[in-house]
Amino acid sequence: MVKLYRGDYLLDKFLDMSLVQRILCGILLGILIGIFLPSWTFITILGTLFVSCLKAIAPLLVFFLTAASIAKHKVGNETYVKPVLILYLGGTFLSALVAVVASSIFTIPITLQETVSEKAPQNIGSVLSTMLTNVTQSPIQAIIESNYLGVLFWAVLLGLALRSRSNTTKEVVDQVSVALSQVVQLIIAFAPIGILGLVYQSIATTGLSGLAEYLQLVLVLVGTMLFVALVVYPFLTFLFIKENPYPLIFFCLKESAIPAFFTRSSAANIPINMMLAERLKLTKESYAISIPLGATINMGGAAVTITVMTLMTVQTLGIEASFSSKLILSLLAALAACGASGVAGGSLLLIPLACSLFGIPNEVAMQVVGIGFIIGVIQDSVETALNSSSDLLFTAVGELSARKRNGETIAIKNCLDKPN
């Protein structure tokens, strides 16, 4: 009876924790099991199932939530998407500029490896062409393939068409979106177990031994992304809302960046960001569009990866890079990053495109991509955490700044509720 009582007590204490605290427990347990019981490979299925469930439900959630929000939108109500887009594009470009500065300060030669077999885009036209083609993909296929540009396009059209329908029809679509949100909440409740599996997989199967040779490169990449997250983005936030940005910054990093770090997929983190946007009391008509759009075009972390890896290659090969060429690289990296796929390692295949700016052969550039996959266990995790958490950050900043300009008195601290 005593043992049962203690077990119930520990379970109650665990359930009383916030979701982030429970996730941290899952991380710790995953590390311990990965170190001491590496043969328990069946645990990896927990992480696979968690990510798969999030990826599966996210396109449906985005489709119905966006359609319902637009259908019920009243003329005159602002959606705040414009300032969010400005933040997305400006943040990505500034990230690339910071990466140029970091690469100029830290010169690290790269030991080139064997070429990888993945096919990379050959020019910026092919990247933009793919994006435009994705917009008009079949809506069913877009949902199946988690193509969020296509999902948003058809959801917006359906929402506009539904605006002239009866309130009963609009309410049905809205209730479907509410039901899907409840399903997402159920899935997110299992995040500690899912992340336990993801951490175990990284520790037991991937390991960190392969990172030793490229430790300096990893430090530059991670350090640059941290600088962007803790200095550049707070600066942008302050410019827009004119108050201390760090409470909101740390909220986004704690609640959004941690799960994104382990799932390594901006797409899988969309449902989590939408739940957090609701907690921040943001307008559904705004975040239903801006968050999935951000998973496609808000790619500050990807811009850092592309720029740093390219300039390290340039330095290794002894190529002279002028200031103007580095500035062009920043623009190219920011634009190309918007076309990076929302999957693990998606930004790496855009490195050859950036390398072509300096006349580096595709064969050499693809060797750099190979290095990217070696360090991806850290690089891609931090990159995704930066990208996805800033989707939530910029969505909040864009709306709060617009509402302040409209005369509302809003303080960040009033939007940050206590974790459930």
Side-chain angles (χ1 to χ4, degrees):
M1 291 295 294
V2 175
K3 290 183 178 179
L4 180 62
Y5 172 78
R6 287 178 179 174
D8 290 344
Y9 174 77
L10 291 175
L11 178 61
D12 289 340
K13 292 294 288 183
F14 178 77
L15 294 177
D16 287 340
M17 294 179 179
S18 68
L19 179 61
V20 172
Q21 290 173 325
R22 296 199 296 270
I23 287 175
L24 292 175
C25 290
I27 293 171
L28 179 61
L29 189 57
I31 292 173
L32 293 175
I33 297 176
I35 293 174
F36 296 107
L37 299 169
S39 61
W40 287 19
T41 54
F42 64 89
I43 294 179
T44 61
I45 192 65
L46 298 175
T48 302
L49 288 175
F50 175 65
V51 175
S52 296
C53 287
L54 283 176
K55 286 185 175 181
I57 197 66
L60 283 173
L61 175 68
V62 170
F63 185 84
F64 282 99
L65 189 60
T66 303
S69 298
I70 292 177
K72 300 181 72 174
H73 177 70
K74 296 180 180 179
V75 177
N77 289 354
E78 195 171 350
T79 59
Y80 312 110
V81 173
K82 183 178 178 180
V84 176
L85 284 175
I86 293 173
L87 283 163
Y88 281 167
L89 299 177
T92 301
F93 176 64
L94 287 176
S95 299
L97 281 180
V98 170
V100 167
V101 175
S103 300
S104 301
I105 296 174
F106 303 100
T107 303
I108 301 171
I110 296 176
T111 303
L112 299 178
Q113 303 291 319
E114 294 182 2
T115 306
V116 295
S117 59
E118 281 82 355
K119 184 178 179 181
Q122 298 302 307
N123 52 64
I124 196 65
S126 64
V127 175
L128 296 176
S129 176
T130 300
M131 291 179 64
L132 293 175
T133 302
N134 287 340
V135 171
T136 54
Q137 187 181 35
S138 161
I140 296 176
Q141 198 66 27
I143 291 174
I144 293 174
E145 296 181 3
S146 298
N147 165 22
Y148 288 98
L149 287 177
V151 170
L152 281 173
F153 176 74
W154 293 110
V156 169
L157 289 185
L158 177 62
L160 292 173
L162 287 172
R163 294 184 68 174
S164 61
R165 301 298 94 192
S166 66
N167 289 333
T168 303
T169 303
K170 297 176 185 178
E171 190 63 28
V172 169
V173 178
D174 184 57
Q175 288 302 308
V176 172
S177 71
V178 171
L180 287 170
S181 297
Q182 292 176 342
V183 173
V184 169
Q185 290 175 345
L186 177 63
I187 295 171
I188 293 174
F190 288 91
I193 298 174
I195 288 180
L196 183 154
L198 293 170
V199 173
Y200 172 86
Q201 184 177 18
S202 296
I203 298 296
T205 61
T206 306
L208 301 178
S209 58
L211 297 176
E213 183 180 355
Y214 302 104
L215 180 59
Q216 288 181 307
L217 179 59
V218 171
L219 290 176
V220 171
L221 284 167
V222 172
T224 304
M225 292 182 198
L226 288 176
F227 184 85
V228 170
L230 298 175
V231 178
V232 177
Y233 287 173
F235 175 72
L236 279 176
T237 301
F238 178 78
L239 286 181
F240 272 71
I241 61 178
K242 301 298 189 297
E243 62 176 292
N244 180 11
Y246 284 100
L248 182 59
I249 294 290
F250 291 137
F251 175 87
C252 294
L253 290 177
K254 182 180 71 172
E255 303 286 345
S256 177
I258 290 177
F261 180 90
F262 292 103
T263 60
R264 293 175 61 189
S265 171
S266 295
N269 216 45
I270 286 175
I272 295 174
N273 277 344
M274 286 193 164
M275 296 301 100
L276 294 172
E278 186 175 359
R279 279 179 54 186
L280 288 171
K281 307 174 184 68
L282 301 181
T283 306
K284 185 181 293 186
E285 289 90 339
S286 178
Y287 72 73
I289 296 174
S290 64
I291 285 179
L293 187 61
T296 304
I297 68 170
N298 179 38
M299 294 289 175
V304 169
T305 297
I306 295 168
T307 304
V308 169
M309 297 291 282
T310 298
L311 289 179
M312 293 301 177
T313 307
V314 168
Q315 294 166 359
T316 299
L317 297 176
I319 299 173
E320 289 292 332
S322 63
F323 172 78
S324 58
S325 64
K326 291 180 179 179
L327 182 60
I328 294 173
L329 172 64
S330 299
L331 291 169
L332 178 63
L335 187 58
C338 293
S341 59
V343 298
S347 62
L348 297 175
L349 292 177
L350 294 169
I351 292 174
L353 176 60
C355 285
S356 66
L357 183 65
F358 300 92
I360 299 173
N362 189 64
E363 293 77 13
V364 175
M366 290 304 290
Q367 293 180 46
V368 181
V369 175
I371 296 173
F373 281 110
I374 293 173
I375 64 175
V377 65
I378 296 296
Q379 168 269 323
D380 194 54
S381 296
V382 178
E383 176 184 312
T384 306
L386 174 62
N387 290 341
S388 193
S389 62
S390 61
D391 293 345
L392 176 65
L393 172 67
F394 289 153
T395 294
V397 171
E399 176 169 338
L400 293 177
S401 64
R403 288 166 64 181
K404 281 190 171 186
R405 287 197 301 273
N406 292 338
E408 292 188 46
T409 303
I410 303 173
I412 287 179
K413 63 181 179 180
N414 295 333
C415 299
L416 303 179
D417 61 353
K418 294 182 179 179
N420 297 323

